[in-house]
Each structure stands twice: as C-alpha cells, then as structure tokens.
Amino acid sequence: MSSIWLAGHGLTQSETIIDYPRPDRLVAGNPKRSTQSLYDHPNMNCGIWECEVGAWNIVFAENKQEFFTVIEGTVRLHDANKKSYVEIKAGDAGIIPPGFVGTFEVVEAVKKYFVVVEA
C-alpha cells in the first residue's frame, strides 16, 4: 500500500545545505545557494532552493531532469551556444531536460520549488 505525503511534513525533510558553484563552472559572481530537501527518494528529490544573483554552467546527465516553479525572483536558462535563453519569473515553471548543457543565470535573487527525477 502506498501513502500520500505532504512535502516537508515528516518523511525525509533535511537541514538546509549551503553551497556555491564550482569554480570551474562559475560564469559571474559567486552566488550563495541554499537547498532544503523536503522529500528524497532513490529516483526523485524535491524541495526549496534559494540563490543569490550570479551564473554558472550546468551539464545535466542523460538520465536526469528537473521541473521547477519560481516562487520569487528571475532566472534565465541559456543554451550551450549562449545565443538564446528562456527567462522564468515568479509564478512561472520551467523544465531542464535530460542532457541539457548551458548556463543557469540568476538575474534576481530566486526562490524555487524543485523536483529532480533520475531514471
């Protein structure tokens, strides 16, 4: 039998983790990032993520993808050739698809709810 859980209430809520982009991926600034996992499973993790203004390169594995909703702030996802980007603001949702290579830019300090799935 399976159960339905309210994210962040029991189960696997964790302490907030603070980190910074790896120096070899840093593009602009040195933004402090905080992650609070509200649910963790071998194939899925969800929670709240906050970040200061800055940018860094990202490379998603072919088996990893992320859905997120911006609660506050603005981010841009730039494709690898940096010729185009998608801007995602408070109230919008975005998807980082499997195998995505590009730049994650925080234009305005951001808070987002994320769901990362690895298959």
Side-chain angles (χ1 to χ4, degrees):
M1 182 168 117
S2 62
S3 299
I4 297 173
W5 297 90
L6 180 59
H9 294 269
L11 210 53
T12 60
Q13 186 173 357
S14 67
E15 296 295 317
T16 300
I17 296 170
I18 304 294
D19 74 342
Y20 296 84
R22 291 179 7 199
D24 61 318
R25 292 194 176 181
L26 199 56
V27 173
N30 189 26
K32 178 175 142 182
R33 308 182 296 192
S34 66
T35 305
Q36 183 179 25
S37 180
L38 301 177
Y39 176 76
D40 201 8
H41 181 274
N43 300 102
M44 185 179 83
N45 177 269
C46 67
I48 300 292
W49 184 83
E50 296 182 65
C51 186
E52 299 171 341
V53 172
W56 59 95
N57 294 322
I58 61 173
V59 178
F60 265 48
E62 289 295 331
N63 69 330
K64 180 179 178 180
Q65 58 189 316
E66 177 181 345
F67 169 85
F68 63 93
T69 300
V70 175
I71 300 166
E72 300 171 0
T74 304
V75 301
R76 290 181 182 154
L77 287 172
H78 299 262
D79 64 13
N81 65 20
K82 309 227 185 332
K83 291 184 179 181
S84 66
Y85 64 84
V86 174
E87 188 168 271
I88 304 154
K89 298 180 179 186
D92 294 337
I95 295 171
I96 303 174
F100 179 81
V101 176
T103 302
F104 193 97
E105 177 187 12
V106 177
V107 178
E108 180 183 321
V110 72
K111 181 177 186 179
K112 69 176 185 172
Y113 192 89
F114 69 89
V115 179
V116 173
V117 177
E118 295 186 53

